[in-house]
Amino acid sequence: MVKLKTDTEIDAMHRTGQVVADALKAVQKTAGVGVSLLAREVLRGAGATSPFLGYLPSFAPTPFPAVLCTSVNDAIVHGVPDGYRLRDGDLVSVDFGAELGGWAGDSAVSFIVGTPRADDVRLVETAERALAAGIGAAVVGNRIGDIAHAIGTVCRAAGYGIPDGFGGHGIGRRMHEDPSVPNEGRPGRGMPLRHGMVLAIEPMLVGGGTDGFHAASDGWTLRTDDRSRAAHAEHTVAITTAGPRILTAR
């Protein structure tokens, strides 16, 4: 069931979203050893809690052990911070969530540590363009398929793969709510978009152009089958009659 939010509730979700935005900015600025601790400090300072820590969905073998996901190079999403020391040229995707006042926020950003490779710059830029396209389609009167089609069109036109079965989702009192928001689909199909819907829109791109992926030995991290690099971008977005409102804008 999709739960529509009032304007007052969307304002409350925006406050949560700004905690998420602040944490991602801090992590990106100081990416390296201790980023998980840094994210915890942002949560503590805002009086917020983590929806990631201890989260146990049906596909996972164990509860998630951290407050943020750090996916490096060929890791697409759900990377578990494990003490790996970032190296020059690494492509990092950081996914972070917060809960404040009973409302959840969720966002992700990909960036390059140190010296960038041209292919990685293009991959990250395309992930951001796909996210922007999806947000642009998140308007009253459109449908979920219009968001999926906008994202998928950008990704496929650039020659990138899209992991099947993983995408965005509704968000509100809980981090994951109905509806699901695929990263590829047919326009004009799916649930109509209404004022008060709040969605986490999150394209995931496989740089090698294939769609295949697998779970790593930790049971959480999803890695590309072809070992190519991946990128992930995400915002929590409210659908309003005035247009899409990005609640996790950095």
Side-chain angles (χ1 to χ4, degrees):
M1 178 183 295
V2 175
K3 300 177 181 178
L4 300 180
K5 283 73 175 177
T6 67
D7 291 346
T8 299
E9 290 172 335
I10 290 173
D11 287 340
M13 290 191 70
H14 180 257
R15 289 191 286 274
T16 306
Q18 291 312 292
V19 175
V20 177
D22 289 345
L24 285 176
K25 285 189 292 186
V27 168
Q28 185 173 355
K29 183 178 179 180
T30 59
V33 178
V35 293
S36 188
L37 289 176
L38 179 63
R40 288 175 188 261
E41 290 170 3
V42 172
L43 285 172
R44 190 181 305 114
T49 57
S50 172
F52 285 18
L53 184 64
Y55 182 57
L56 184 58
S58 58
F59 66 80
T62 57
F64 194 75
V67 300
L68 80 171
C69 300
T70 53
S71 305
V72 182
N73 295 332
D74 67 328
I76 306 168
V77 287
H78 303 160
V80 179
D82 60 2
Y84 172 81
R85 292 179 177 270
L86 294 174
R87 302 170 183 171
D88 184 58
D90 278 346
L91 196 166
V92 185
S93 299
V94 178
D95 192 353
F96 183 77
E99 290 179 342
L100 180 67
W103 296 102
D106 190 10
S107 185
V109 62
S110 293
F111 56 89
I112 301 159
V113 176
T115 308
R117 304 192 316 189
D119 287 348
D120 291 343
V121 172
R122 179 173 178 267
L123 180 60
V124 171
E125 289 178 346
T126 304
E128 292 292 340
R129 285 198 295 110
L131 176 58
I135 293 171
V139 297
V140 173
N142 271 358
R143 293 176 176 267
I144 291 292
D146 294 305
I147 297 176
H149 179 71
I151 292 171
T153 297
V154 172
C155 297
R156 295 300 189 189
Y160 297 130
I162 301 172
D164 185 43
F166 287 87
H169 49 88
I171 185 170
R173 291 292 185 184
R174 294 179 294 110
M175 181 171 60
H176 289 111
E177 296 183 351
D178 291 332
S180 62
V181 185
N183 285 328
E184 192 169 30
R186 296 177 64 182
R189 299 296 183 94
M191 181 178 294
L193 304 181
R194 299 170 58 191
H195 180 93
M197 291 176 68
V198 182
L199 307 174
I201 299 173
E202 50 178 323
M204 306 165 193
L205 285 64
V206 177
T210 63
D211 298 349
F213 64 93
H214 62 276
S217 59
D218 60 22
W220 273 100
T221 308
L222 301 184
R223 296 191 178 278
T224 61
D225 281 349
D226 61 9
R227 303 189 69 178
S228 66
R229 295 191 172 196
H232 176 205
E234 178 184 17
H235 272 309
T236 296
V237 181
I239 296 169
T240 79
T241 53
R245 180 180 177 188
I246 303 174
L247 305 183
T248 50
R250 293 181 285 276

